[in-house]
């Protein structure tokens, strides 16, 4: 059974791109467009992993990451964010992010980062 995942990004286009990139390797059980919604969807679905944008309205990805890791430290969270947010990536790492890729990304880059973050159980 593949890991269950939630895709979080305030851009519908990016949620689709990430979802289509990883859906051969995981079961996507939800999506969210901001940090507050991410926490709600996480609580409802209890996924194995999340991909999380950083810059989002209502609650940013770092705040959502912290809240999710506080409730479930074992949940894997990989940040998917813009190159210009290197300082934010440091904050995300301190908050417990398990990995990150920068947008735009290659499909292999994202799947490899997820695979590494969960200990090699996604791609094979």
């Amino acid at each position: 059974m593949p890991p269950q995942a939630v895709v979080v990004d305030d851009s519908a286009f990016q949620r689709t791109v990430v979802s289509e990139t990883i859906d051969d390797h995981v079961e996507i059980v939800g999506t969210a467009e901001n940090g507050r919604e991410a926490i709600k969807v996480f609580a409802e679905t209890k996924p194995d992993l999340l991909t999380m944008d950083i810059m989002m309205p209502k609650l940013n990805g770092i705040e959502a990451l912290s809240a999710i890791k506080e409730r479930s430290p074992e949940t894997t969270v990989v940040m998917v964010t813009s190159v210009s947010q290197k300082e934010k990536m440091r904050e995300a790492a301190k908050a417990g992010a398990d990995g990150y890729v920068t947008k735009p990304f290659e499909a292999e880059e994202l799947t490899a980062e997820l695979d590494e973050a969960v200990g090699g159980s996604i791609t094979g």
Side-chain angles (χ1 to χ4, degrees):
M1 185 168 152
Q4 295 184 329
V6 170
V7 175
V8 184
D9 199 297
D10 59 327
S11 160
F13 174 75
Q14 280 297 327
R15 286 193 306 275
T16 299
V17 168
V18 171
S19 295
E20 289 178 354
T21 300
I22 66 175
D23 75 352
D24 284 345
H25 307 288
V26 300
E27 177 189 354
I28 297 173
V29 295
T31 61
E33 63 183 42
N34 62 59
R36 236 182 240 143
E37 192 176 308
I39 294 168
K40 180 177 182 254
V41 172
F42 169 79
E44 292 168 354
T45 62
K46 300 195 178 19
D48 303 299
L49 66 97
L50 294 92
T51 64
M52 179 92 64
D53 188 17
I54 290 181
M55 301 306 291
M56 296 184 292
K58 299 190 180 176
L59 195 68
N60 72 41
I62 294 171
E63 294 165 323
L65 164 68
S66 293
I68 288 167
K69 284 291 194 171
E70 190 174 298
R71 292 183 177 122
S72 179
E74 70 281 0
T75 299
T76 300
V77 182
V78 172
M79 308 308 280
V80 181
T81 191
S82 300
V83 177
S84 63
Q85 299 172 356
K86 292 211 181 278
E87 183 55 39
K88 294 288 185 189
M89 279 313 310
R90 285 188 197 88
E91 289 179 43
K94 287 179 187 172
D98 297 289
Y100 76 95
V101 295
T102 53
K103 299 181 221 175
F105 57 82
E106 297 292 326
E108 300 79 23
E109 180 185 12
L110 179 57
T111 55
E113 187 68 22
L114 289 174
D115 200 44
E116 184 177 320
V118 299
S121 63
I122 289 181
T123 59

